[in-house]
Amino acid sequence: MAVARKIVVAIRKGGSGKTTTAVNLAGALMLLGKRVLLVDLDSQGNATRAMGVDREAITLTVRDILAGRAINVKDAVVSKAWNQYAQDQSLDVLPSHEKLGNTEMGMAVQTALAQLGMGDDPVDAMQSIAGLLKIFETSYDYIVIDTAPNPGPLTLAALSAGDDMLIPYELGAFNDDGLVHAFKTFREVQLNSNPNLTIHGILFTKTDNTLFSKEEVDSMDQYSGHIYPFRVPRRTLYNWANNNGVPAVVARPSDEATQPYMQLAETFING
Ligand SMILES: Nc1ncnc2c1ncn2[C@@H]1O[C@H](COP(=O)(O)OP(=O)(O)OP(=O)(O)O)[C@@H](O)[C@H]1O
Ligand SMILES: [Mg+2]
């Protein structure tokens, strides 16, 4: 049986475009006829909101599944359609919860206590996320996972169970160690828990038409083999779309600003 390809969007740096990338990649894959599940693993719930999931429509969240409170985990999935833009197309969202961070912290504490021979059996983040993805993987072509900016147990668990790591990166932020850290995390996960994980690529987000200094260009040299040949431009369209609960690529599929996400989706489909 075919199983979904699991794409984990991750980088520790806040505001680099993880959520926007996860939401628009999921939307672009939907437009291309694929069965898609977006999993929101960030307690901020930004992906859940950006998909326009109505709070009222949320009965269960990923947190309930991890805490063993969902009897039928598939009940937690919310189907989203944007019929004014994409008729007869939809994708599924597994929403987040603001207290997911507590669950994550609780998992870390329980694991530490269990290692000291204290406390109950720990809820293992690795096993919980792997188990969750196993349940869903036969129902979709792609599972796109949005992660939190802190590289906590849930992000590591998603990478441990994933196929591809996708790194959104805001060009011009060269002086931070976001990419260094992302590659370090990748190598650790690959070595310790998931030899099959690959870095699918680095996506430059929120780009302007500015020229970069020689130092900036040189500092990217070591990553050049991983950088996609397309970049996402900085456009207010993305803020508008995120605030209006529709992926920009679904609302404006022919706009030049959203083409990079269509190309990204095609890259996944073709290779
Ligand atoms: N291409 C773009 N053009 C303009 N604004 C953008 C673009 N991509 C993302 N943004 C905006 O930048 C902000 C941060 O983006 P986003 O939420 O996707 O980043 P993030 O990495 O998920 O952040 P966090 O680390 O907090 O989860 C948001 O306000 C979003 O609307
Ligand atoms: Mg985010």
Side-chain angles (χ1 to χ4, degrees), residues 154-240:
L154 290 180
T155 302
L156 292 176
L159 289 169
S160 298
D163 298 300
D164 301 282
M165 180 175 181
L166 169 51
I167 306 173
Y169 190 69
E170 188 180 349
L171 254 180
F174 290 99
N175 291 330
D176 72 70
D177 62 353
L179 282 180
V180 175
H181 185 269
F183 274 74
K184 186 165 165 274
T185 304
F186 164 72
R187 278 191 296 271
E188 281 169 9
V189 170
Q190 209 192 30
L191 194 68
N192 296 322
S193 52
N194 184 2
N196 296 325
L197 184 70
T198 60
I199 291 198
H200 194 267
I202 299 169
L203 178 67
F204 287 157
T205 60
K206 305 202 248 182
T207 57
D208 302 300
N209 284 328
T210 29
L211 288 176
F212 297 99
S213 71
K214 186 168 176 324
E215 285 91 341
E216 286 172 332
V217 175
D218 286 352
S219 74
M220 293 306 294
D221 234 23
Q222 56 179 310
Y223 302 112
S224 57
H226 293 287
I227 298 168
Y228 296 113
F230 39 82
R231 298 171 173 193
V232 185
R234 182 187 299 278
R235 291 284 188 283
T236 51
L237 167 65
Y238 284 102
N239 299 92
W240 172 85

Coordinates of all heavy atoms in Angstrom, one line a residue, residues 154-240:
L154 N 8.7 17.5 20.2 CA 7.8 17.2 19.1 C 8.4 17.4 17.7 O 8.2 16.7 16.8 CB 6.6 18.1 19.2 CG 5.6 17.8 20.4 CD1 4.4 18.8 20.4 CD2 5.1 16.4 20.3
T155 N 9.3 18.5 17.6 CA 9.9 18.7 16.3 C 10.9 17.6 16.1 O 11.0 17.1 14.9 CB 10.7 20.1 16.4 OG1 9.8 21.1 16.7 CG2 11.4 20.4 15.1
L156 N 11.6 17.2 17.1 CA 12.6 16.1 16.9 C 11.9 14.8 16.5 O 12.3 14.0 15.7 CB 13.4 15.9 18.1 CG 14.4 17.1 18.4 CD1 15.1 16.8 19.7 CD2 15.4 17.2 17.3
A157 N 10.7 14.6 17.2 CA 10.0 13.4 16.9 C 9.4 13.4 15.4 O 9.4 12.4 14.7 CB 8.8 13.3 17.9
A158 N 9.0 14.6 15.0 CA 8.5 14.7 13.6 C 9.6 14.4 12.6 O 9.4 13.7 11.6 CB 7.9 16.1 13.4
L159 N 10.8 15.0 12.9 CA 11.9 14.7 12.0 C 12.3 13.2 12.1 O 12.7 12.7 11.0 CB 13.1 15.6 12.4 CG 13.0 17.1 12.1 CD1 14.1 17.9 12.8 CD2 13.0 17.3 10.6
S160 N 12.2 12.6 13.2 CA 12.6 11.2 13.3 C 11.6 10.3 12.6 O 12.0 9.2 12.2 CB 12.5 10.8 14.8 OG 13.5 11.5 15.5
A161 N 10.4 10.8 12.4 CA 9.4 10.0 11.6 C 9.2 10.4 10.2 O 8.5 9.8 9.4 CB 8.1 10.0 12.4
G162 N 9.9 11.5 9.8 CA 9.7 12.1 8.5 C 10.5 11.6 7.4 O 11.5 10.8 7.6
D163 N 10.2 12.0 6.2 CA 11.0 11.7 5.0 C 11.9 12.8 4.6 O 13.1 12.6 4.2 CB 10.1 11.3 3.8 CG 9.2 10.1 4.1 OD1 9.8 9.0 4.4 OD2 8.0 10.2 4.1
D164 N 11.3 14.0 4.6 CA 12.0 15.2 4.1 C 12.0 16.3 5.2 O 11.0 16.6 5.8 CB 11.3 15.7 2.9 CG 11.3 14.7 1.8 OD1 12.3 14.5 1.1 OD2 10.2 14.1 1.6
M165 N 13.1 17.0 5.3 CA 13.2 18.2 6.1 C 13.2 19.4 5.1 O 14.0 19.4 4.2 CB 14.4 18.2 7.0 CG 14.6 19.4 7.9 SD 16.0 19.2 8.9 CE 16.0 20.7 9.9
L166 N 12.3 20.3 5.3 CA 12.3 21.5 4.4 C 12.6 22.7 5.3 O 11.9 22.9 6.3 CB 10.9 21.6 3.8 CG 10.4 22.8 3.1 CD1 11.4 23.2 2.0 CD2 9.1 22.5 2.4
I167 N 13.6 23.5 4.9 CA 14.1 24.6 5.7 C 13.7 25.9 5.0 O 14.4 26.3 4.1 CB 15.6 24.5 5.9 CG1 16.0 23.1 6.5 CG2 16.1 25.6 6.8 CD1 17.5 22.8 6.5
P168 N 12.8 26.7 5.6 CA 12.5 28.0 5.1 C 13.5 29.0 5.7 O 13.8 28.9 6.9 CB 11.1 28.4 5.5 CG 10.7 27.3 6.4 CD 11.8 26.3 6.7
Y169 N 14.0 29.9 4.9 CA 15.1 30.8 5.4 C 14.9 32.2 4.9 O 14.7 32.4 3.7 CB 16.4 30.2 5.1 CG 17.6 30.9 5.8 CD1 17.7 30.8 7.1 CD2 18.4 31.8 5.1 CE1 18.8 31.5 7.8 CE2 19.4 32.5 5.7 CZ 19.6 32.3 7.1 OH 20.6 33.0 7.7
E170 N 14.9 33.1 5.8 CA 14.7 34.5 5.4 C 16.1 35.1 5.0 O 16.9 35.3 5.8 CB 14.1 35.3 6.5 CG 13.7 36.7 6.1 CD 13.1 37.6 7.1 OE1 12.7 37.0 8.2 OE2 13.0 38.8 6.9
L171 N 16.2 35.3 3.7 CA 17.5 35.9 3.2 C 17.7 37.2 3.8 O 16.8 38.0 4.1 CB 17.3 36.1 1.7 CG 18.1 35.1 0.8 CD1 17.8 35.5 -0.6 CD2 19.5 35.1 1.1
G172 N 19.0 37.5 4.1 CA 19.3 38.8 4.7 C 19.6 38.6 6.2 O 20.1 39.5 6.8
A173 N 19.2 37.4 6.7 CA 19.4 37.2 8.2 C 20.7 36.4 8.3 O 20.7 35.4 9.1 CB 18.2 36.5 8.7
F174 N 21.7 36.7 7.6 CA 22.9 35.9 7.5 C 23.7 35.8 8.9 O 24.4 34.8 9.1 CB 23.9 36.5 6.5 CG 23.4 36.3 5.1 CD1 22.8 37.3 4.5 CD2 23.5 35.0 4.5 CE1 22.3 37.1 3.2 CE2 23.0 34.9 3.2 CZ 22.4 35.9 2.6
N175 N 23.5 36.8 9.7 CA 24.3 36.7 10.9 C 23.8 35.8 12.0 O 24.4 35.7 13.0 CB 24.4 38.2 11.5 CG 25.3 39.0 10.5 OD1 26.1 38.5 9.9 ND2 25.0 40.3 10.5
D176 N 22.7 35.2 11.7 CA 22.2 34.3 12.8 C 22.6 32.8 12.4 O 23.1 32.6 11.3 CB 20.7 34.3 12.9 CG 20.0 33.7 11.7 OD1 20.1 32.4 11.6 OD2 19.4 34.4 10.9
D177 N 22.5 31.9 13.4 CA 23.0 30.6 13.2 C 21.9 29.6 12.8 O 22.0 28.4 13.1 CB 23.8 30.1 14.4 CG 22.9 30.1 15.6 OD1 21.8 30.5 15.6 OD2 23.4 29.6 16.7
G178 N 20.8 30.1 12.3 CA 19.6 29.3 12.0 C 19.9 28.1 11.1 O 19.6 27.0 11.4
L179 N 20.7 28.4 10.0 CA 21.0 27.2 9.1 C 22.0 26.3 9.7 O 21.8 25.1 9.6 CB 21.5 27.8 7.8 CG 20.5 28.4 6.8 CD1 21.2 28.8 5.6 CD2 19.5 27.3 6.5
V180 N 22.9 26.8 10.5 CA 23.9 26.0 11.1 C 23.2 25.0 12.1 O 23.4 23.8 12.1 CB 24.9 26.8 11.9 CG1 25.9 25.9 12.7 CG2 25.7 27.7 11.0
H181 N 22.3 25.6 12.8 CA 21.5 24.8 13.8 C 20.6 23.8 13.1 O 20.5 22.6 13.5 CB 20.7 25.7 14.7 CG 20.0 24.9 15.8 ND1 18.8 24.4 15.6 CD2 20.5 24.5 17.0 CE1 18.4 23.8 16.7 NE2 19.4 23.8 17.6
A182 N 20.0 24.2 12.0 CA 19.1 23.3 11.3 C 19.9 22.1 10.7 O 19.4 20.9 10.8 CB 18.4 24.0 10.1
F183 N 21.1 22.3 10.2 CA 21.9 21.2 9.7 C 22.4 20.3 10.8 O 22.5 19.1 10.6 CB 23.0 21.7 8.8 CG 22.6 21.9 7.4 CD1 21.8 23.0 7.1 CD2 23.0 21.1 6.4 CE1 21.3 23.2 5.7 CE2 22.5 21.2 5.1 CZ 21.7 22.3 4.8
K184 N 22.7 20.9 11.9 CA 23.2 20.1 13.1 C 22.0 19.2 13.6 O 22.2 18.0 13.8 CB 23.6 21.1 14.2 CG 24.2 20.5 15.4 CD 24.9 21.6 16.2 CE 25.3 21.0 17.6 NZ 24.2 21.2 18.6
T185 N 20.8 19.8 13.7 CA 19.7 19.0 14.1 C 19.5 17.8 13.1 O 19.3 16.7 13.5 CB 18.4 19.9 14.1 OG1 18.7 20.9 15.0 CG2 17.2 19.1 14.6
F186 N 19.5 18.2 11.8 CA 19.4 17.1 10.8 C 20.4 16.0 10.9 O 20.0 14.8 10.9 CB 19.5 17.8 9.4 CG 19.8 16.8 8.3 CD1 18.7 16.0 7.9 CD2 21.0 16.6 7.7 CE1 18.9 15.0 6.9 CE2 21.2 15.7 6.7 CZ 20.2 14.9 6.3
R187 N 21.6 16.3 11.1 CA 22.7 15.3 11.3 C 22.4 14.4 12.5 O 22.6 13.2 12.5 CB 24.1 15.9 11.3 CG 24.6 16.3 9.9 CD 26.0 16.6 9.9 NE 26.3 17.8 10.6 CZ 26.2 19.1 10.1 NH1 26.0 19.2 8.8 NH2 26.4 20.1 10.9
E188 N 22.0 15.1 13.6 CA 21.8 14.3 14.8 C 20.6 13.3 14.6 O 20.7 12.2 15.1 CB 21.5 15.3 16.0 CG 22.8 15.9 16.5 CD 22.5 17.0 17.5 OE1 21.3 17.3 17.9 OE2 23.5 17.7 17.9
V189 N 19.5 13.8 14.0 CA 18.4 13.0 13.8 C 18.8 11.8 12.9 O 18.4 10.6 13.1 CB 17.2 13.8 13.3 CG1 16.1 12.8 12.8 CG2 16.7 14.7 14.3
Q190 N 19.5 12.2 11.8 CA 19.9 11.1 10.9 C 20.7 10.1 11.5 O 20.6 8.9 11.3 CB 20.6 11.8 9.7 CG 20.5 11.1 8.4 CD 21.4 11.6 7.4 OE1 22.5 12.0 7.7 NE2 21.0 11.5 6.1
L191 N 21.6 10.5 12.4 CA 22.5 9.6 13.0 C 21.8 8.7 14.1 O 22.0 7.5 14.2 CB 23.7 10.4 13.7 CG 24.9 9.6 14.2 CD1 25.6 9.1 13.0 CD2 25.8 10.6 15.0
N192 N 21.0 9.4 14.9 CA 20.4 8.7 16.1 C 19.1 8.0 15.8 O 18.8 7.0 16.5 CB 20.2 9.7 17.2 CG 21.5 10.3 17.7 OD1 22.5 9.6 17.7 ND2 21.6 11.6 18.0
S193 N 18.3 8.5 15.0 CA 16.9 7.9 14.9 C 16.4 7.7 13.5 O 15.4 6.9 13.3 CB 15.9 8.7 15.7 OG 16.0 10.1 15.4
N194 N 16.8 8.4 12.5 CA 16.2 8.3 11.2 C 17.2 8.4 10.1 O 17.3 9.5 9.5 CB 15.1 9.4 11.1 CG 14.3 9.3 9.8 OD1 14.5 8.4 9.0 ND2 13.4 10.2 9.6
P195 N 17.9 7.3 9.7 CA 18.9 7.4 8.7 C 18.3 7.8 7.3 O 19.0 8.2 6.4 CB 19.5 6.0 8.7 CG 18.6 5.1 9.5 CD 17.8 6.0 10.4
N196 N 16.9 7.6 7.2 CA 16.3 7.9 5.9 C 16.0 9.4 5.7 O 15.5 9.8 4.6 CB 15.0 7.1 5.7 CG 15.4 5.6 5.7 OD1 16.4 5.2 5.2 ND2 14.5 4.8 6.3
L197 N 16.1 10.2 6.7 CA 15.7 11.6 6.6 C 16.7 12.3 5.6 O 17.9 12.1 5.6 CB 15.8 12.3 8.0 CG 15.4 13.8 8.0 CD1 13.9 13.9 7.8 CD2 15.8 14.4 9.3
T198 N 16.1 13.1 4.7 CA 16.9 13.9 3.8 C 16.5 15.4 4.0 O 15.4 15.7 4.4 CB 16.7 13.5 2.3 OG1 15.3 13.8 2.0 CG2 17.0 12.1 2.0
I199 N 17.5 16.2 3.7 CA 17.2 17.7 3.6 C 16.7 17.9 2.2 O 17.4 17.7 1.2 CB 18.4 18.5 3.9 CG1 18.7 18.4 5.3 CG2 18.1 20.0 3.5 CD1 19.6 19.5 5.9
H200 N 15.4 18.1 2.0 CA 14.9 18.3 0.7 C 15.4 19.6 0.1 O 15.8 19.6 -1.1 CB 13.3 18.3 0.7 CG 12.8 18.1 -0.7 ND1 12.4 19.2 -1.5 CD2 12.5 17.0 -1.4 CE1 11.9 18.7 -2.6 NE2 12.0 17.4 -2.6
G201 N 15.4 20.7 0.9 CA 16.0 21.9 0.4 C 15.8 23.1 1.3 O 15.1 23.0 2.3
I202 N 16.5 24.1 1.0 CA 16.4 25.4 1.7 C 15.6 26.4 0.8 O 16.0 26.6 -0.4 CB 17.8 26.0 2.0 CG1 18.6 25.1 2.8 CG2 17.6 27.4 2.6 CD1 20.1 25.5 2.9
L203 N 14.5 26.9 1.4 CA 13.7 27.8 0.6 C 13.9 29.2 1.1 O 13.6 29.5 2.2 CB 12.2 27.4 0.7 CG 11.2 28.3 0.0 CD1 11.4 28.2 -1.6 CD2 9.8 27.9 0.4
F204 N 14.3 30.1 0.2 CA 14.5 31.5 0.6 C 13.1 32.1 0.6 O 12.3 32.0 -0.4 CB 15.4 32.3 -0.3 CG 16.8 31.9 -0.2 CD1 17.7 32.1 -1.2 CD2 17.3 31.4 1.0 CE1 19.1 31.8 -1.1 CE2 18.7 31.1 1.2 CZ 19.5 31.3 0.1
T205 N 12.7 32.7 1.8 CA 11.4 33.3 1.9 C 11.5 34.8 2.1 O 12.6 35.3 2.4 CB 10.7 32.7 3.1 OG1 11.5 33.0 4.3 CG2 10.5 31.2 3.0
K206 N 10.4 35.5 1.9 CA 10.4 37.0 2.1 C 11.5 37.7 1.4 O 12.2 38.5 2.1 CB 10.4 37.3 3.6 CG 9.3 36.5 4.4 CD 9.0 37.2 5.7 CE 9.4 36.4 6.8 NZ 9.1 37.0 8.1
T207 N 11.8 37.4 0.2 CA 13.0 38.0 -0.5 C 12.6 39.3 -1.1 O 11.5 39.5 -1.6 CB 13.6 37.0 -1.5 OG1 12.6 36.7 -2.5 CG2 14.1 35.8 -0.9
D208 N 13.5 40.2 -1.1 CA 13.4 41.5 -1.8 C 14.4 41.5 -2.9 O 15.2 40.7 -3.0 CB 13.7 42.6 -0.8 CG 12.8 42.6 0.4 OD1 11.6 42.7 0.3 OD2 13.4 42.5 1.6
N209 N 14.2 42.5 -3.7 CA 15.1 42.6 -4.9 C 16.4 43.3 -4.5 O 16.9 44.1 -5.3 CB 14.5 43.4 -6.1 CG 13.5 42.4 -6.7 OD1 13.7 41.2 -6.7 ND2 12.4 43.0 -7.2
T210 N 16.9 43.1 -3.3 CA 18.2 43.8 -3.0 C 19.4 42.9 -3.3 O 19.3 41.7 -3.4 CB 18.2 44.0 -1.4 OG1 17.5 42.9 -0.8 CG2 17.7 45.3 -1.0
L211 N 20.5 43.5 -3.6 CA 21.7 42.8 -3.8 C 22.3 42.5 -2.5 O 22.3 43.3 -1.6 CB 22.6 43.7 -4.7 CG 22.2 43.9 -6.1 CD1 23.2 44.9 -6.8 CD2 22.2 42.6 -6.8
F212 N 22.9 41.3 -2.4 CA 23.6 40.9 -1.2 C 25.1 41.2 -1.2 O 25.7 41.1 -2.3 CB 23.2 39.5 -0.9 CG 21.8 39.3 -0.7 CD1 21.0 38.8 -1.7 CD2 21.1 39.6 0.5 CE1 19.6 38.6 -1.6 CE2 19.8 39.5 0.6 CZ 19.0 39.0 -0.4
S213 N 25.6 41.4 -0.1 CA 27.0 41.7 0.0 C 27.8 40.4 -0.3 O 27.3 39.3 -0.2 CB 27.4 42.2 1.4 OG 27.3 41.1 2.3
K214 N 29.1 40.6 -0.6 CA 29.9 39.4 -1.0 C 30.0 38.4 0.2 O 29.9 37.2 0.1 CB 31.3 39.9 -1.3 CG 32.2 38.8 -1.8 CD 33.4 39.3 -2.5 CE 34.4 38.1 -2.9 NZ 34.4 37.0 -2.0
E215 N 30.1 39.0 1.4 CA 30.1 38.1 2.6 C 28.9 37.3 2.7 O 28.9 36.1 3.1 CB 30.2 39.0 3.9 CG 31.6 39.5 4.2 CD 31.7 40.9 3.6 OE1 30.9 41.3 2.7 OE2 32.6 41.7 4.0
E216 N 27.7 37.9 2.5 CA 26.5 37.2 2.6 C 26.4 36.1 1.6 O 26.0 35.0 1.9 CB 25.3 38.2 2.4 CG 25.1 39.1 3.6 CD 24.1 40.2 3.3 OE1 23.9 40.6 2.1 OE2 23.4 40.7 4.2
V217 N 26.8 36.4 0.3 CA 26.7 35.4 -0.7 C 27.7 34.2 -0.4 O 27.4 33.1 -0.4 CB 27.0 36.0 -2.1 CG1 27.1 34.9 -3.2 CG2 25.9 37.0 -2.4
D218 N 28.9 34.6 0.1 CA 29.9 33.6 0.4 C 29.5 32.7 1.5 O 29.7 31.5 1.5 CB 31.3 34.3 0.8 CG 32.0 34.9 -0.4 OD1 31.5 34.6 -1.5 OD2 33.0 35.6 -0.2
S219 N 28.8 33.3 2.5 CA 28.4 32.5 3.7 C 27.4 31.5 3.3 O 27.2 30.5 4.1 CB 27.9 33.4 4.8 OG 26.6 33.9 4.5
M220 N 26.7 31.7 2.2 CA 25.7 30.7 1.7 C 26.4 29.6 0.9 O 25.7 28.6 0.6 CB 24.6 31.4 0.9 CG 23.8 32.3 1.7 SD 23.0 31.6 3.2 CE 22.0 30.4 2.4
D221 N 27.6 29.8 0.5 CA 28.3 28.8 -0.4 C 28.2 27.4 0.0 O 27.9 26.5 -0.8 CB 29.8 29.2 -0.5 CG 30.1 29.5 -1.9 OD1 29.2 29.8 -2.7 OD2 31.3 29.3 -2.2
Q222 N 28.4 27.1 1.3 CA 28.4 25.7 1.7 C 27.0 25.1 1.6 O 26.9 23.8 1.6 CB 28.9 25.7 3.2 CG 28.0 26.6 4.1 CD 28.4 26.5 5.5 OE1 28.6 25.5 6.1 NE2 28.6 27.7 6.1
Y223 N 26.0 25.9 1.4 CA 24.6 25.3 1.4 C 24.1 25.3 -0.1 O 23.0 24.8 -0.3 CB 23.7 26.2 2.2 CG 24.1 26.3 3.6 CD1 24.5 27.5 4.2 CD2 24.0 25.2 4.5 CE1 24.8 27.6 5.5 CE2 24.4 25.3 5.8 CZ 24.8 26.5 6.3 OH 25.1 26.6 7.6
S224 N 24.9 25.8 -1.0 CA 24.4 26.0 -2.4 C 23.7 24.8 -3.0 O 22.7 24.9 -3.7 CB 25.5 26.6 -3.3 OG 26.6 25.7 -3.3
G225 N 24.3 23.6 -2.7 CA 23.7 22.4 -3.3 C 22.2 22.1 -2.8 O 21.5 21.3 -3.4
H226 N 21.9 22.8 -1.7 CA 20.5 22.5 -1.1 C 19.5 23.6 -1.4 O 18.4 23.5 -1.0 CB 20.7 22.4 0.4 CG 21.5 21.2 0.9 ND1 21.0 20.0 0.8 CD2 22.7 21.1 1.4 CE1 21.9 19.1 1.3 NE2 23.0 19.8 1.6
I227 N 19.9 24.7 -2.0 CA 19.0 25.8 -2.2 C 18.2 25.7 -3.4 O 18.7 25.4 -4.5 CB 19.8 27.2 -2.2 CG1 20.6 27.3 -0.9 CG2 18.9 28.3 -2.5 CD1 21.7 28.4 -0.9
Y228 N 16.9 25.8 -3.3 CA 16.0 25.7 -4.4 C 16.3 26.8 -5.4 O 16.6 27.9 -5.0 CB 14.5 25.8 -4.0 CG 14.1 24.7 -3.1 CD1 13.7 24.9 -1.8 CD2 13.9 23.4 -3.5 CE1 13.3 23.9 -0.9 CE2 13.5 22.4 -2.7 CZ 13.2 22.7 -1.4 OH 12.7 21.7 -0.6
P229 N 16.1 26.6 -6.7 CA 16.3 27.6 -7.7 C 15.2 28.7 -7.8 O 15.2 29.5 -8.6 CB 16.4 26.8 -9.0 CG 15.6 25.6 -8.8 CD 15.8 25.3 -7.3
F230 N 14.2 28.6 -6.9 CA 13.2 29.6 -6.8 C 13.1 30.2 -5.4 O 13.5 29.5 -4.5 CB 11.8 29.0 -7.3 CG 11.6 27.6 -6.7 CD1 11.2 27.4 -5.4 CD2 11.9 26.5 -7.5 CE1 11.0 26.2 -4.9 CE2 11.7 25.2 -7.0 CZ 11.2 25.1 -5.7
R231 N 12.6 31.4 -5.3 CA 12.5 32.1 -4.0 C 11.2 32.7 -3.9 O 10.5 33.1 -4.9 CB 13.5 33.3 -4.0 CG 14.9 33.0 -4.2 CD 15.7 34.2 -4.3 NE 17.2 33.9 -4.3 CZ 18.1 34.8 -4.2 NH1 17.8 36.1 -4.1 NH2 19.4 34.4 -4.2
V232 N 10.7 32.8 -2.6 CA 9.4 33.4 -2.4 C 9.6 34.9 -2.1 O 10.3 35.3 -1.2 CB 8.7 32.8 -1.1 CG1 7.3 33.3 -1.0 CG2 8.7 31.2 -1.3
P233 N 9.0 35.7 -2.9 CA 9.1 37.2 -2.7 C 8.3 37.7 -1.5 O 7.4 37.0 -1.1 CB 8.5 37.8 -4.0 CG 7.5 36.8 -4.5 CD 8.1 35.4 -4.1
R234 N 8.8 38.8 -1.0 CA 8.0 39.4 0.2 C 6.8 40.1 -0.4 O 7.0 41.0 -1.3 CB 9.0 40.4 0.9 CG 8.3 41.1 2.1 CD 9.2 42.2 2.6 NE 10.5 41.7 3.0 CZ 10.7 41.1 4.2 NH1 9.7 41.0 5.1 NH2 11.9 40.7 4.6
R235 N 5.7 39.7 0.0 CA 4.4 40.3 -0.6 C 3.4 40.4 0.5 O 3.2 39.4 1.3 CB 3.8 39.5 -1.7 CG 4.6 39.4 -3.0 CD 4.5 40.7 -3.8 NE 5.1 40.5 -5.1 CZ 6.4 40.5 -5.3 NH1 7.2 40.8 -4.4 NH2 6.8 40.4 -6.6
T236 N 2.6 41.5 0.6 CA 1.6 41.6 1.6 C 0.5 40.6 1.3 O -0.3 40.2 2.3 CB 0.9 43.0 1.5 OG1 0.6 43.3 0.2 CG2 1.9 44.1 2.0
L237 N 0.4 40.0 0.1 CA -0.5 38.9 -0.2 C -0.4 37.8 0.9 O -1.4 37.3 1.3 CB -0.2 38.3 -1.6 CG -0.9 37.0 -1.9 CD1 -2.4 37.1 -2.0 CD2 -0.3 36.5 -3.2
Y238 N 0.8 37.5 1.3 CA 1.0 36.4 2.3 C 0.4 36.8 3.7 O -0.2 36.0 4.3 CB 2.5 36.0 2.4 CG 2.9 35.2 1.2 CD1 3.6 35.8 0.2 CD2 2.5 33.9 1.1 CE1 3.9 35.0 -1.0 CE2 2.8 33.1 0.0 CZ 3.5 33.7 -1.0 OH 3.8 33.0 -2.1
N239 N 0.6 38.0 4.1 CA 0.0 38.5 5.4 C -1.5 38.4 5.2 O -2.2 37.9 6.1 CB 0.4 39.9 5.7 CG 1.9 40.0 5.9 OD1 2.6 40.3 4.9 ND2 2.4 39.7 7.1
W240 N -2.0 39.0 4.1 CA -3.5 39.0 3.9 C -4.0 37.5 3.9 O -5.0 37.3 4.6 CB -3.8 39.6 2.5 CG -5.2 39.5 2.2 CD1 -6.3 40.3 2.5 CD2 -5.8 38.4 1.4 NE1 -7.4 39.8 2.1 CE2 -7.2 38.7 1.3 CE3 -5.3 37.3 0.7 CZ2 -8.1 37.8 0.7 CZ3 -6.2 36.5 0.1 CH2 -7.6 36.7 0.0

